[in-house]
């Protein structure tokens, strides 16, 4: 994982190292930022972010949040912070929480729908991390959390073997009133069968789905 995030770079001084002036676009973006060319860094980070580079997504979120190289935009900052968070960048979570608290409900709902669209291809392809990310969006970003759908995706992600989804699934179920838990689990099984029918790359276990 890339180690140099812009929060650290803001405190760094000195010229770029030889590796930062090489062909790697991420290193080139770091070098541009250190040289005071935040606009060039933004261009490079956005290209990488759109290609799925998690550290670039986080750095792009920081640029939008601070208005460095790009006009300050909390909505775009939060979008890329969430993309980085879903991709597994721990530092992105604190930024996401701070930005989420500042956005009005309508903007949060729009952003949740945007993230759901972005995650849809990965979910169809059987990416358990995308399912886990969608569950977090449904619980933490939507103005009105959708606990039922979130539990369903956590249950499916856990069934597909994502370790962190197992604890999150159990925690989500613990929040459900005990008399309703069997119904919620039945709903997750039905959601798994529905996903299997629609998936572009269904799991082996889909052969056992009803």
């Amino acid at each position: 994982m890339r180690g140099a995030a812009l929060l650290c770079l803001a405190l760094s001084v000195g010229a770029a190292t030889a590796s930062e002036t090489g062909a790697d676009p991420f290193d080139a973006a770091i070098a541009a930022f250190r040289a005071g060319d935040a606009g060039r860094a933004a261009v490079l980070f956005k290209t990488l972010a759109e290609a799925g580079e998690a550290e670039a997504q986080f750095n792009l979120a920081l640029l939008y949040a601070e208005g460095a190289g790009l006009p300050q935009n909390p909505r775009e900052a939060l979008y890329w912070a969430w993309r980085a968070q879903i991709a597994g960048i721990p530092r992105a979570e604190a930024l996401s929480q701070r930005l989420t608290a500042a956005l009005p409900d309508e903007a949060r709902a729009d952003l949740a729908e945007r993230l759901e669209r972005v995650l849809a291809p990965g979910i169809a392809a059987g990416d358990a991390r995308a399912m886990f990310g969608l569950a977090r969006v449904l619980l933490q970003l939507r103005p009105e959390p959708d606990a039922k759908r979130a539990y369903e995706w956590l249950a499916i992600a856990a069934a597909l073997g994502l370790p962190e989804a197992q604890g999150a699934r159990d925690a989500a179920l613990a929040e459900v009133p005990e008399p309703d838990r069997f119904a919620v689990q039945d709903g997750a099984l039905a959601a798994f069968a529905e996903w299997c029918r629609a998936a572009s790359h269904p799991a082996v276990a889909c052969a056992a789905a009803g």
Side-chain angles (χ1 to χ4, degrees), residues 70-165:
L70 292 162
Q72 191 174 44
N73 191 295
R75 188 193 302 263
E76 286 301 303
L78 183 56
Y79 171 75
W80 289 109
W82 264 96
R83 290 285 302 270
Q85 178 180 329
I86 290 168
I89 303 298
R91 299 183 305 285
E93 188 161 356
L95 180 61
S96 295
Q97 290 174 351
R98 175 169 66 84
L99 293 168
T100 298
L103 275 189
D105 285 353
E106 182 179 356
R108 289 175 59 181
D110 289 345
L111 184 56
E113 291 178 5
R114 182 180 174 188
L115 286 166
E116 189 164 350
R117 289 194 299 270
V118 166
L119 292 169
I123 289 171
D127 183 350
R129 181 162 293 282
M131 298 173 187
F132 182 68
L134 176 57
R136 297 186 72 179
V137 168
L138 293 169
L139 285 174
Q140 299 171 14
L141 184 57
R142 282 196 173 277
E144 296 183 6
D146 190 339
K148 179 179 180 295
R149 283 187 66 210
Y151 174 80
E152 290 171 355
W153 286 117
L154 289 171
I156 296 171
L160 295 181
L162 187 68
E164 55 263 50

